[in-house]
Amino acid sequence: MASIADAGHSGRARWAVAALLRRLQPAPRTRVAVPEAAVAAAEGRRARRHYPPQRDRVIEHAAMAREMYRL
C-alpha cells in the first residue's frame, strides 16, 4: 500500500485496483414481479410528449429573424 501512496507515483495502479474491485461486484438483479401500485400508476400517466429534433442554431436564428421582420 505504501508504494501506491507514493508522492511520485502516477496513480495508475490505484485506478487498476478500483476497476478490478468494481468488476468483482455482483451484477444488479432484475425484478420480475412488478408491484400492483406501480402498474396502476403507469396506467394513469399520460403518454410522453413528442418534440421534433431541434434545428441548427443558424437556421433557427434565420427563421426567427424572418418572423420578426414580418411582424
Side-chain angles (χ1 to χ4, degrees):
M1 190 67 178
S3 64
I4 293 176
D6 228 1
H9 193 268
S10 67
R12 247 184 283 150
R14 186 175 359 150
W15 291 111
V17 170
L20 178 64
L21 291 176
R22 208 175 307 121
R23 191 177 297 171
L24 292 177
Q25 289 179 349
R29 297 180 186 168
T30 57
R31 290 184 138 182
V32 176
V34 179
E36 294 175 13
V39 172
E43 290 173 356
R45 276 190 233 141
R46 289 185 277 171
R48 295 187 88 187
R49 292 184 177 188
H50 169 72
Y51 296 103
Q54 290 186 345
R55 297 189 283 189
D56 287 338
R57 184 182 218 171
V58 174
I59 295 173
E60 184 67 30
H61 183 70
M64 288 297 289
R66 265 195 315 273
E67 193 167 334
M68 290 297 128
Y69 179 75
R70 281 187 236 160
L71 292 175

